[in-house]
């Protein structure tokens, strides 16, 4: 079977290598273990454990928070090369991996194990921010991690629609933090003044605090976040608020006399102002915005004229569908209609990718049938229509389990009634 090159995977791999080499350089300088070879061997043994647990955590977090994408096609959970790695899960998994690795170093005393664990966490900050920034280029390649529509001059344009480039915002802000860390670390006097001592965990804690602030505010601009029970806040944002609260309490109790506390407080105020500014730049609910993004597709069969009717054989059932294949008709979709007007609406795109659908101005529930190469690859059932007046920022978003070239919208419940399932063929008929 021929090997397939995935640029996304190459970028993530390159980012990982860069981050690890930077962290190794600083770790070896500390001479945690006197013997140089043992010191280096210990570091790379820890790295293997952290990488495995980090990848597992990254994928697990993504799957849990985006479960509607995978529930009808569980095999897609393992298709990491198509994207879907959460940095929040990666950090959490990596921390657990480092903890259990150090705990299994039985020849090291408990007190030394604690210091060694905290040292590994602090050292990670010398490579993690830059690795994250490079990794976000993979999101750009996959045309994912973009925000709400905007007309700002630096907007990312996808199929004629301009969006906030969230991947770029995050990359710039993480590089900023990483640059400050290296700058301070190379000046002993600055390092001493700020109290940036390795092995206390404060540097890692500071980065988690800083990054949590970044993600919390940028997620207000994410159209694809999984909405929590609090209107306007995503599940990730609730978790981030919890993390920020815990770290804030810790800093108040233990770091009041440290120079790190006012530094982190200043960063928090700055990011609050920045985040508030970005939130103000959100489009108002009354502005024109797409029901669905129009980012994907290779033709299902021979393209027909826009808004024409055609029959398709899907599974064992022949149905009459309305075809939409231009940017304007795809953007409009079924928005504003009181009924579907046929047995389904078939969206035909131009090339394969992973689109995002949101039900702007929908008035009835739907099933979304994801199609690739004339085959059903996933089904998202019973997608609810939003409450009238719901702002775009609060709308749930839906994505297929893999890249698709067509999407069929049918009334909710019909996928089950017709017995549709992944693997069924989709054929154009007369």
């Amino acid at each position: 079977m021929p090997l397939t090159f995935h640029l996304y995977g190459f970028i993530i791999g390159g980012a990982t290598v860069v981050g690890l080499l930077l962290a190794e350089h600083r770790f070896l300088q500390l001479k945690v273990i006197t013997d140089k070879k043992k010191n280096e061997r210990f570091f790379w043994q820890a790295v293997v454990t952290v990488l495995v647990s980090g990848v597992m955590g990254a994928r697990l977090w993504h799957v849990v928070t985006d479960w509607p994408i995978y529930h009808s096609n569980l095999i897609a959970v393992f298709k990491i090369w198509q994207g879907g790695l959460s940095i929040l899960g990666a950090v959490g998994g990596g921390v657990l991996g480092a903890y259990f690795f150090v705990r299994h170093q039985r020849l090291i005393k408990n007190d030394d194990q604690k210091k060694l664990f905290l040292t590994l966490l602090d050292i990670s900050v010398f490579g993690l921010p830059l690795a994250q920034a490079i990794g976000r280029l993979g999101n750009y390649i996959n045309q994912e991690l973009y925000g709400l529509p905007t007309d700002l001059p630096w907007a990312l344009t996808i199929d004629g629609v301009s969006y906030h480039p969230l991947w770029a915002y995050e990359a710039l802000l993480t590089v900023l933090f990483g640059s400050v860390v290296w700058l301070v670390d190379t000046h002993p006097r600055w390092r001493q003044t700020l109290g940036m001592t390795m092995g206390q965990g404060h540097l890692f804690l500071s980065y988690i605090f800083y990054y949590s602030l970044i993600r919390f505010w940028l997620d207000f601009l994410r159209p694809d976040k999984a909405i929590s029970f609090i209107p306007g806040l995503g599940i990730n944002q609730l978790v981030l608020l919890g993390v920020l609260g815990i770290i804030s309490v810790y800093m108040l109790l233990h770091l009041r006399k440290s120079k790190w506390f006012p530094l982190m407080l200043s960063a928090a105020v700055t990011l609050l102002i920045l985040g508030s500014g970005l939130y103000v730049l959100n489009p108002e609910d009354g502005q024109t915005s797409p029901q669905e993004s129009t980012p994907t597709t290779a033709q299902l069969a021979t393209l027909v004229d826009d808004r024409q009717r055609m029959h398709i054989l899907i599974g064992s059932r022949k149905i009459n569908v309305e075809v939409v294949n231009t940017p304007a008709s795809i953007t409009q979709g079924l928005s504003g209609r009181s009924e579907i007007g046929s047995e389904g609406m078939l969206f035909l795109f131009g090339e394969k990718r992973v689109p995002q659908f949101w039900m702007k101005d929908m008035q009835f529930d739907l099933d979304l049938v994801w199609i690739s190469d004339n085959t059903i690859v996933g089904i998202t059932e019973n997608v609810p229509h939003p409450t009238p007046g719901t702002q775009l920022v609060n709308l749930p978003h839906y994505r297929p389990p893999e890249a698709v070239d067509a999407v069929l919208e049918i009334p909710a419940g019909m996928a089950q009634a017709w017995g549709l399932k992944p693997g069924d063929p989709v054929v154009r008929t007369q």
Side-chain angles (χ1 to χ4, degrees), residues 14 173 193 196 238 388 406:
L173 290 169
T193 300
M196 197 173 82
L238 286 184

Side-chain angles (χ1 to χ4, degrees), residues 216-231:
F216 177 78
W217 285 108
L218 289 184
D219 270 23
F220 278 117
L221 297 179
R222 288 194 67 162
D224 61 336
K225 64 184 178 184
I227 300 298
S228 69
F229 59 89
I230 299 179

Side-chain angles (χ1 to χ4, degrees), residues 38-51 101 105:
K38 290 183 178 179
N39 201 31
E40 189 170 357
R41 183 165 62 250
F42 173 86
F43 175 82
W44 286 106
Q45 287 175 343
V47 162
V48 172
T49 305
V50 169
L51 283 180
F101 174 79
Q105 306 301 309

Side-chain angles (χ1 to χ4, degrees), residues 170-197:
E170 184 176 319
L172 290 172
L173 290 169
T174 51
V175 165
L176 176 63
F177 188 95
S179 300
V180 170
V181 167
W182 276 101
L183 182 63
V184 172
D185 189 65
T186 54
H187 292 75
R189 183 177 299 178
W190 294 3
R191 189 168 65 240
Q192 183 178 3
T193 300
L194 292 174
M196 197 173 82
T197 305

